[in-house]
Amino acid sequence: MERHRVKPGTNVSLASWDPADTSGFDGDKKAAEKVFTGLNERLETLQELLYADQRHKVLIVLQGMDTSGKDGTIRNIFDGTNPIGVKVASFKRPTSTELAHDYLWRVHAQTPGSGEVVIFNRSHYEDVLVVRVDGLAPEARWKKRFEHINAFEKMLVDEGTTVLKFFLHISKDEQKERLQERLDDPSKNWKFDPNDLKVREKWDAYQRAYEDVLSQTSTEAAPWYIVPANKKWYRNLVITEVLVATLEGLGLRFPAAPDLANIKVV
Ligand code: AMP
Ligand code: MG
């Protein structure tokens, strides 16, 4: 999965990252799903262990254009995990109270505590994406945010949080199909947001903004992965593999049991 990680200092040009890539599986969905099922079970075990262990915190950031699969990723990957230790924080347009504070205020409040996994469905990166593209803050202000964000994430890591960031990379054509599906399929109508069409018109500006995010904020401490997301099964597999490998690397263990020899249940 190393090939999908953005090495710090890389100048990312999204045109050279194929959103339809299914490397190693050559479009073999069945084979990939088999691997996914095994890894997904392993993830469930590791999440229980993370919760029992209480020494680590895990923050997962999901970003991507509309329809890129942020919601689907959460549903598919975390469906079997224990809700006691897994939380989702979705970041929408800031409320007036949130806007009255600095942009990291609402974000910091949602970061994981000991033993927890928190999934950010959108994140502080919106403050250098939509804010930039729509001119919601002057350039002189949002430009400085890359530095704040790197420092903020470094602080979280230094204090015991593992930070993983996934950019769900889809093509403009794939987005067209998915938006059309939301219009055509009555069970998906509720997901259709007319505003998505306005955002789609600014596709190129968003790609440029994402390129800056990926180039400037992928660090050793808090790396970005560019996940080819045209194929949902490959997207699920890549993210699950990274999560399992990362959790395996934490050396999780159950806390030492107390001395039980003389305890009697009466
Ligand atoms: P959704 O994720 O589809 O429910 O949409 C949430 C919307 O909130 C998206 O259009 C985001 O761009 C927008 N949003 C999230 N964070 C911010 C922010 N910090 N400033 C402005 N808009 C935001
Ligand atoms: Mg939406």
Side-chain angles (χ1 to χ4, degrees):
M1 290 304 121
E2 224 5 60
R3 62 193 306 256
H4 300 303
R5 186 172 67 96
V6 180
K7 288 160 199 70
T10 309
N11 213 346
V12 173
S13 163
L14 283 172
S16 54
W17 294 71
D18 180 9
D21 179 17
T22 57
S23 69
F25 285 92
D26 246 356
D28 190 346
K29 181 176 171 181
K30 280 252 149 49
E33 280 177 343
K34 220 169 145 194
V35 178
F36 171 74
T37 305
L39 281 170
N40 204 35
E41 277 169 23
R42 182 78 195 122
L43 180 67
E44 289 161 19
T45 308
L46 285 163
Q47 184 264 317
E48 285 280 354
L49 194 52
L50 179 87
Y51 186 71
D53 187 327
Q54 288 287 309
R55 289 178 307 146
H56 300 274
K57 332 175 218 290
V58 176
L59 174 61
I60 298 165
V61 173
L62 294 181
Q63 283 288 159
M65 298 296 286
D66 295 310
T67 76
S68 61
K70 299 183 287 295
D71 295 4
T73 295
I74 296 169
R75 207 174 47 243
N76 289 299
I77 296 180
F78 293 93
D79 59 349
T81 55
N82 188 341
I84 281 184
V86 180
K87 287 201 298 201
V88 178
S90 293
F91 293 95
K92 310 277 182 185
R93 268 173 217 94
T95 63
S96 54
T97 308
E98 288 168 348
L99 277 175
H101 293 79
D102 69 84
Y103 67 100
L104 290 175
W105 181 74
R106 66 170 182 167
V107 174
H108 201 173
Q110 301 283 354
T111 52
S114 300
E116 281 181 349
V117 176
V118 173
I119 305 148
F120 278 7
N121 183 7
R122 301 187 192 269
S123 65
H124 43 301
Y125 286 99
E126 292 293 322
D127 293 285
V128 285
L129 291 163
V130 62
V131 166
R132 168 182 181 171
V133 173
D134 284 352
L136 303 179
E139 178 167 350
R141 176 163 317 173
W142 60 252
K143 271 229 147 133
K144 292 184 182 157
R145 291 180 175 173
F146 296 101
E147 215 177 304
H148 310 152
I149 289 172
N150 285 337
F152 170 63
E153 292 176 357
K154 173 85 166 49
M155 181 279 290
L156 294 178
V157 171
D158 288 347
E159 295 289 323
T161 304
T162 298
V163 181
L164 295 168
K165 304 180 292 197
F166 298 99
F167 169 60
L168 309 186
H169 184 33
I170 55 166
S171 64
K172 198 175 178 191
D173 285 345
E174 181 65 24
Q175 189 193 51
K176 186 178 183 190
E177 276 183 32
R178 293 185 187 184
L179 285 171
Q180 191 61 48
E181 221 171 279
R182 290 181 180 187
L183 286 172
D184 296 344
D185 179 347
S187 74
K188 290 186 177 168
N189 285 170
W190 66 275
K191 285 200 228 174
F192 185 79
D193 178 353
N195 187 55
D196 291 354
L197 297 179
K198 294 210 185 86
V199 177
R200 177 172 166 79
E201 284 171 23
K202 301 172 206 164
W203 181 273
D204 292 341
Y206 271 101
Q207 298 293 297
R208 294 295 88 73
Y210 267 112
E211 284 172 345
D212 280 351
V213 162
L214 297 163
S215 302
Q216 294 187 46
T217 64
S218 194
T219 58
E220 289 299 343
W224 274 107
Y225 290 83
I226 299 179
V227 181
N230 274 13
K231 296 272 180 267
K232 294 171 185 172
W233 54 265
Y234 190 68
R235 169 202 80 198
N236 292 341
L237 183 67
V238 169
I239 297 175
T240 308
E241 274 204 38
V242 172
L243 292 176
V244 167
T246 304
L247 291 175
E248 300 268 16
L250 291 179
L252 300 170
R253 51 169 162 72
F254 288 108
D259 185 3
L260 306 176
N262 298 315
I263 296 179
K264 220 171 171 180
V265 180
V266 290

